[in-house]
């Protein structure tokens, strides 16, 4: 398969299920944890986490063509959220997490322009994002918050 995309992979959303079937125990992601050790997530584990979070997003009304804003730091959890959006045929709108505290008006502008149905954020940021929304900094029109709980490992 050197340099050739398998026929089963027609879209980006097809890639993770394919690699999960073909190489379930191979490492898909590595992330440095708080103990300065690498956490490894296999293709199988990543696919399970993506499927579970995609189901959660679907219950919140996310589906094909809907926009999901991702307001999270770069992490394995961000990748789970991103792939979950693709799994549903929705549109991912990654937002610049670094400006949440310093330039919330940039978040407001981005949300207004991407027409987000939901915003995915980390639990520790949910209150701040909700406060921004109630303070009128982030438009609450058709906007709800989804929290990602700790990813589980089988």
């Amino acid at each position: 398969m050197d340099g050739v995309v398998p026929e089963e992979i027609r879209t980006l959303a097809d890639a993770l299920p394919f690699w999960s079937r073909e190489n379930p125990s191979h490492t898909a992601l590595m992330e440095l944890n708080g103990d300065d050790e690498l956490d490894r997530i296999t293709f199988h584990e990543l696919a399970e986490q993506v499927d579970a979070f995609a189901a959660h997003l679907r219950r919140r009304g996310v589906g094909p063509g809907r926009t999901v804003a991702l307001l999270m730091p770069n992490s394995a959890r961000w990748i789970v959220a991103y792939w979950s959006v693709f799994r549903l045929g929705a549109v991912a709108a990654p937002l610049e997490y670094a400006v949440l505290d310093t330039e919330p008006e940039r978040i407001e502008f981005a949300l207004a322009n991407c027409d987000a149905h939901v915003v995915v954020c980390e639990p520790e940021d949910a209150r701040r994002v909700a406060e921004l929304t109630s303070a009128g900094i982030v438009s609450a029109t058709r906007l709800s918050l989804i929290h990602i709980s700790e990813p589980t490992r089988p």
Side-chain angles (χ1 to χ4, degrees):
M1 279 209 247
D2 293 330
V4 176
V5 176
E7 287 183 28
E8 298 92 330
I9 301 177
R10 293 182 316 276
T11 69
L12 185 58
D14 298 330
L16 182 58
F18 175 83
W19 291 114
S20 177
R21 283 189 312 275
E22 293 295 312
N23 298 301
S25 62
H26 288 184
T27 300
L29 298 173
M30 291 188 295
E31 181 174 45
L32 195 61
N33 66 28
D35 297 326
D36 288 335
E37 297 175 0
L38 282 178
D39 286 336
R40 297 175 190 272
I41 299 173
T42 66
F43 280 105
H44 174 75
E45 292 168 330
L46 179 59
E48 282 190 341
Q49 291 179 28
V50 166
D51 288 345
F53 195 64
H56 182 63
L57 289 171
R58 188 179 300 111
R59 288 190 298 274
R60 297 297 301 264
V62 175
R66 286 282 176 105
T67 301
V68 177
L70 303 177
L71 185 56
M72 304 169 64
N74 294 337
S75 65
R77 294 155 64 87
W78 187 95
I79 292 171
V80 169
Y82 190 71
W83 278 93
S84 297
V85 172
F86 283 127
R87 166 70 91 212
L88 298 172
V91 178
L95 303 181
E96 189 176 2
Y97 179 78
V99 301
L100 177 60
D101 288 328
T102 59
E103 300 177 67
E105 65 278 359
R106 289 179 61 183
I107 301 299
E108 177 185 30
F109 179 81
L111 289 170
N113 283 287
C114 76
D115 196 27
H117 177 69
V118 294
V119 176
V120 178
C121 64
E122 293 285 1
E124 62 268 19
D125 295 322
R127 171 168 278 148
R128 187 168 16 156
V129 174
E131 287 171 0
L132 292 175
T133 302
S134 65
I137 296 174
V138 177
S139 174
T141 306
R142 295 176 28 248
L143 189 67
S144 61
L145 301 176
I146 294 177
H147 308 256
I148 294 184
S149 60
E150 287 299 319
T152 56
R153 302 262 170 108

